[in-house]
Structure formats: structure tokens, C-alpha cells
Amino acid sequence: MEALLNPAVIVQHLHTTRFGWTLYFFPALDSTNEYAKKLALQGIEEGTLILTDFQTQGKGRRGRSFFSPHGGLYLSLILCPSLSPKAILPLTLLAGVAVAQSIQRCTGLSVRLRWPNDLFLAQKKVGGILIEMLVRETEKVVCIVGIGVNINTPLSSFPAALRSQITSLAHVLRRSVSRELLVCHLLSELEIYYHRFLQEGLSPFVEIWKTLAFQIGTMVRLSVGGEVVEGILQGLDAEGRLVIKQGKQLRTIVSGEYL
Ligand code: BTN
């Protein structure tokens, strides 16, 4: 089995200003996002990182579970931006860009982003992002950025029914990847992008996201409020909504599910 994550290696290689310097590591947790929420209610500082080797109740978007066996990367980062919940939502897209770029730097692999929160590699899901928010007594919004990536996870660790839909970095690379160094790269990218986002909003990231998008320029199918919507994937608008082309018309999608 994959060796446990070593937080000391993370501390040794961390080059961020704040992100990750307060670090909670657990060999196992129900969900790093759930733990982060408990901490956040106690008034924890921005940039606090919760990391685990294994989740028993990893959570995905829309109440789904996120299967989290040993070998993966499961983390939650606590942020306290002075923004409304609606303005915080594009952080999912930003986090996706940071994950894809840090994986590219560490491994050379091209992870692609599927709106709004999926990470794809070699046409299969390799991870996802789950942003949750809560409002503290001070009325300040606390944002939990949850990131899960299948790094050194053998596909045999996943239930048989999932195996045809998912992959891991090690499965594609045929070698293992240092999760500690990847965390350090990721936190550095995320910290820079987060501050840029606070100052400039999403616009600097719209084009970058597009270069990393899964199935850009191809026909996609989504379920949007019960309706099946098809179109050629164009990219994002300035607010982070998905833009597809139907005939000569552009259509913007606020919330939907890929089919
Ligand atoms: C998705 O694919 O729908 C999102 C998956 C997000 C998984 C991560 S793993 C770390 C953090 N803790 C959780 O329980 N979920 C997120």
C-alpha cells in the first residue's frame, strides 16, 4: 500500500505566504470538508489546510459521494474572502485551473476541466472540487475549497462499477507521484490565483480555463433543469457560466449536469 502522506515534507517544501502553514493532517477522516466546517465555526485563520490519506464519507457535488481510497489527495482549504456567496462561486473554476496546472508542472500530464468542478484525464474522471460556504456569527462568509484527486490510487481500490469511468495519475503515468510536492505546487498556484481573483475577478482566468477545458469545440450534452441541452462547447462567460453554441445562437448555462 502507498506510504502515508508525510506532512513534514510539505512543510519543508512550502513556498506560500499563508496557505498551508496551519496544517491539520489525519490518517483518516470522514470528510476534510466536514472537518474544515467545524474548524471554521471556531474562527480559524485563512489558509488553514486539512489533509487526509483516506476519507470514509468523501462528498461530491449534489450530495453524491466521492470515493476516497488510500493513495489519493483529499484536502480542504479554508478561505475568508470579503465577498458574497454568489461572487465566491467562481473559485471552483479557479481551483480547477490551479489543480490542472500544478499537475502539469509536476508530472507533464494534461488534466482537463469539465465545468463546473470535474477534473478529467485521458477521457476519465480523475478528481473533483467541492466548494462549500458557511456564514459565521460575524456575518463573514467562510469558504471551504475541497479538492480530491486520484493520484497513486490503484484502480482496483475503486468499486468495479466505477472503474471504467475513473483513472488516477499513477495509472496513466505508470509510476507514482509525490503527493507532498504536488500539494506544495498546488497551494502556491492557488494562493497567487486567489489574490488575483480578489483584485481582478474572474476575467483573467476565463481564457486560461478555456485552454484547459475538456471537450472544447465539440458537441456536449447537459441536463439543465430537466431539459436536455446540446451544443458546441465555447467556453465561459465573464461570470463563469458555461457557453455553448446551438446553431448560430450562443446559450449560457448557469447550472447543469453533463450527460
Ligand atoms: C465532485 O467530484 O463532485 C467533487 C469531489 C470533491 C472531493 C473532495 S475530497 C476533499 C474534500 N472533502 C470532501 O468530502 N470532498 C472534497
Side-chain angles (χ1 to χ4, degrees):
M1 195 176 60
E2 167 84 3
L4 279 188
L5 259 168
N6 187 346
V9 177
I10 296 180
V11 172
Q12 211 182 337
H13 292 89
L14 200 57
H15 287 108
T16 54
T17 307
R18 285 176 80 174
F19 283 15
W21 284 108
T22 306
L23 168 60
Y24 291 77
F25 170 72
F26 301 92
L29 265 185
D30 54 353
S31 151
T32 56
N33 269 30
E34 285 307 308
Y35 193 86
K37 277 196 244 170
K38 285 180 209 142
L39 283 181
L41 286 170
Q42 297 162 18
I44 206 84
E45 68 172 312
E46 179 159 82
T48 297
L49 181 71
I50 298 95
L51 197 59
T52 190
D53 246 312
F54 174 74
Q55 293 186 126
T56 53
Q57 290 176 62
K59 300 191 313 170
R61 198 163 153 257
R62 296 184 182 243
R64 293 195 199 104
S65 54
F66 184 79
F67 201 74
S68 314
H70 287 286
L73 182 63
Y74 314 109
L75 65 84
S76 297
L77 184 70
I78 299 180
L79 300 177
C80 315
S82 298
L83 294 172
S84 69
K86 187 170 171 257
I88 288 172
L89 272 179
L91 269 177
T92 305
L93 305 167
L94 222 83
V97 169
V99 174
Q101 292 192 334
S102 46
I103 291 175
Q104 169 89 52
R105 293 218 168 98
C106 289
T107 66
L109 290 173
S110 299
V111 164
R112 293 285 166 248
L113 307 175
R114 192 175 76 169
W115 184 86
N117 71 321
D118 285 330
L119 306 165
F120 269 70
L121 176 64
Q123 309 294 318
K124 294 185 176 177
K125 180 154 168 158
V126 74
I129 292 157
L130 178 66
I131 292 213
E132 297 188 90
M133 286 172 243
L134 44 96
V135 180
R136 278 209 296 238
E137 281 164 28
T138 52
E139 297 295 308
K140 288 237 157 120
V141 178
V142 181
C143 171
I144 316 287
V145 182
I147 298 173
V149 187
N150 306 330
I151 309 273
N152 296 327
T153 339
L155 298 198
S156 57
S157 302
F158 292 94
L162 271 185
R163 278 179 218 156
S164 61
Q165 302 154 40
I166 50 120
T167 193
S168 68
L169 302 191
H171 179 76
V172 173
L173 275 177
R174 310 240 166 256
R175 66 167 171 86
S176 62
V177 173
S178 163
R179 290 176 294 166
E180 290 86 352
L181 295 187
L182 185 56
V183 170
C184 293
H185 275 276
L186 171 58
L187 291 175
S188 293
E189 303 258 324
L190 212 47
E191 190 172 76
I192 293 167
Y193 287 172
Y194 174 62
H195 290 298
R196 188 150 185 218
F197 172 71
L198 292 182
Q199 284 176 354
E200 300 175 45
L202 188 67
S203 48
F205 302 100
V206 168
E207 279 308 308
I208 306 177
W209 188 93
K210 194 171 164 183
T211 63
L212 296 169
F214 182 59
Q215 295 177 329
I216 196 83
T218 68
M219 184 65 84
V220 294
R221 283 178 91 224
L222 292 108
S223 162
V224 179
E227 180 198 354
V228 176
V229 172
E230 284 187 338
I232 310 279
L233 182 59
Q234 302 294 295
L236 301 176
D237 74 0
E239 261 108 71
R241 296 175 294 204
L242 195 72
V243 181
I244 60 168
K245 197 168 193 180
Q246 297 178 307
K248 288 188 176 155
Q249 304 263 24
L250 289 181
R251 178 162 174 175
T252 305
I253 296 167
V254 180
S255 167
E257 280 291 287
Y258 269 81
L259 294 171

